[in-house]
Amino acid sequence: MTAGEWRPTLIPDLVSPDIPFMRSVQDVLNPGVVLAFSPHFDDAVFSAGGLLSAAGRLDSFTVITIFGGQPPSEISATASAYHGTWGDLDSMVEVRRAEDRAAIQLLGGQHEHWDELDAIYRRQDDGRWLITEATPTNHPTVHAASERLLLQRIVARIRRRLSEYEGGVVLAPASIGGHVDHARARDAVLEAVGADGRETWSVLLWNDLPYATHYDDAPPLLPPKYAVGPSFGVTIERDDWIRRIAASATYSSQLKGMEWDGVSVPEQIDRWATQRGRRNPLETFRVAEISGRRGAWKRS
Ligand SMILES: [Zn+2]
């Protein structure tokens, strides 16, 4: 999440559809490592913090934040306008990194911060600014823009990290709400796991929170060789839920700008998850199917 993300229209009917099926934490945490690729500093914890807490309790996990780089010295007029609503820019990324370290430590995992630039600081391959006033971060023309070099670089970095392990679970955003950084992170993960070729990796896409509390939960169009299954719920144990709500509250620099009718992000998530889970809070995910392979997913 960044302050540059747009405000969606509330769709009240979508906060309580039945979840068609459920899986246990033990079922989704295949043997092996748990690597979560988060577009921004707060996304993995906001969306999948309960599952991560369980992973931290059972063993460990690593959250890799991809778009965590320092803003460049030259920025666009649109980025300048965003900055006008933020605090001290020089320390902003350091503050956000510190919040992320604290949140992930609370959940029992490791963090890693990459230095790719947030969408509002990026130029397209032809040199034009990616994000303008007319084309916000979820705009279709932004998704269609060529960022081939960026994607290639991120895919290569993810492949190097995957090559360090035998396999396990990779978590990434489904990109509900359509922020281009979420979609780029997702597509890079799918590309990297596909190129890795080993069927020892399962890919789970989290339904992005808090966006999934407000949106139709169909993710943006996937590249042709990929598909995702329907959403399923994972029931989160009480202690893990308490930890994940506390960890979400750690991102205090982001929370004020993300309040909804005066309701904080942790409270939005808590209400949504408790309502959907009929008092047992849940998080929702989708299985990604890659290049015709179905991965090492355990289908019961
Ligand atoms: Zn985000």
Side-chain angles (χ1 to χ4, degrees):
M1 175 79 190
T2 68
E5 289 174 20
W6 74 117
R7 291 295 177 218
T9 306
L10 191 64
I11 308 172
D13 289 352
L14 290 171
V15 297
S16 58
D18 286 338
I19 297 291
F21 59 101
M22 298 288 298
R23 290 189 182 276
S24 68
V25 163
Q26 289 74 14
D27 188 32
V28 298
L29 292 178
N30 278 349
V33 297
V34 177
L35 295 178
F37 289 92
S38 190
H40 305 120
F41 288 112
D42 45 18
D43 292 307
V45 172
F46 280 171
S47 304
L51 181 62
L52 293 175
S53 176
R57 192 164 41 74
L58 297 168
D59 188 358
S60 188
F61 66 88
T62 301
V63 174
I64 296 166
T65 302
I66 296 175
F67 299 102
Q70 285 282 1
S73 52
E74 189 195 1
I75 61 173
S76 70
T78 306
S80 293
Y82 289 147
H83 286 176
T85 66
W86 298 342
D88 176 13
L89 188 61
D90 289 339
S91 60
M92 181 185 72
V93 170
E94 283 313 313
V95 167
R96 299 200 63 187
R97 286 178 175 169
E99 290 170 350
D100 190 58
R101 281 195 293 275
I104 290 169
Q105 193 172 29
L106 190 60
L107 300 179
Q110 311 288 319
H111 69 273
E112 193 170 309
H113 297 152
W114 288 0
D115 56 3
E116 299 294 345
L117 295 179
D118 190 285
I120 66 166
Y121 306 123
R122 292 204 299 272
R123 293 177 185 273
Q124 302 180 43
D125 288 350
D126 64 9
R128 288 178 297 158
W129 291 112
L130 181 65
I131 305 299
T132 66
E133 201 176 339
T135 57
T137 52
N138 63 334
H139 198 278
T141 62
V142 173
H143 283 267
S146 173
E147 293 201 277
R148 190 176 51 85
L149 301 176
L150 172 86
L151 265 176
Q152 282 177 349
R153 189 168 62 243
I154 298 173
V155 169
R157 294 180 83 167
I158 295 172
R159 284 195 67 184
R160 279 199 295 277
R161 288 298 264 116
L162 296 180
S163 71
E164 296 169 24
Y165 306 101
E166 294 294 319
V169 179
V170 176
L171 294 164
S175 195
I176 307 299
H179 190 297
V180 67
D181 286 348
H182 293 213
R184 298 285 190 252
R186 177 199 64 193
D187 294 350
V189 162
L190 295 175
E191 192 71 38
V193 175
D196 178 87
R198 290 176 293 169
E199 302 219 338
T200 49
W201 292 104
S202 298
V203 180
L204 281 186
L205 303 182
W206 63 67
N207 286 326
D208 313 56
L209 290 171
Y211 310 106
T213 68
H214 304 305
Y215 274 93
D216 180 335
D217 66 358
L221 202 59
L222 286 153
K225 60 183 175 179
Y226 305 118
V228 291
S231 292
F232 63 89
V234 175
T235 300
I236 305 299
E237 286 185 19
R238 184 94 197 126
D239 287 351
D240 290 324
W241 191 255
I242 290 168
R243 264 194 294 276
R244 77 93 80 208
I245 292 295
S248 301
T250 300
Y251 296 95
S252 52
S253 72
Q254 302 303 297
L255 297 182
K256 189 67 188 165
M258 296 173 72
E259 283 184 2
W260 194 278
D261 292 336
V263 180
S264 72
V265 169
E267 180 66 23
Q268 289 171 40
I269 294 171
D270 193 39
R271 286 184 191 178
W272 177 84
T274 305
Q275 188 177 6
R276 278 206 157 187
R278 297 202 171 88
R279 305 259 160 233
N280 298 307
L282 55 73
E283 291 168 353
T284 62
F285 301 87
R286 301 156 189 265
V287 178
E289 296 170 2
I290 298 170
S291 302
R293 53 158 281 211
R294 296 178 87 83
W297 189 253
K298 293 187 291 186
R299 291 177 188 276
S300 52

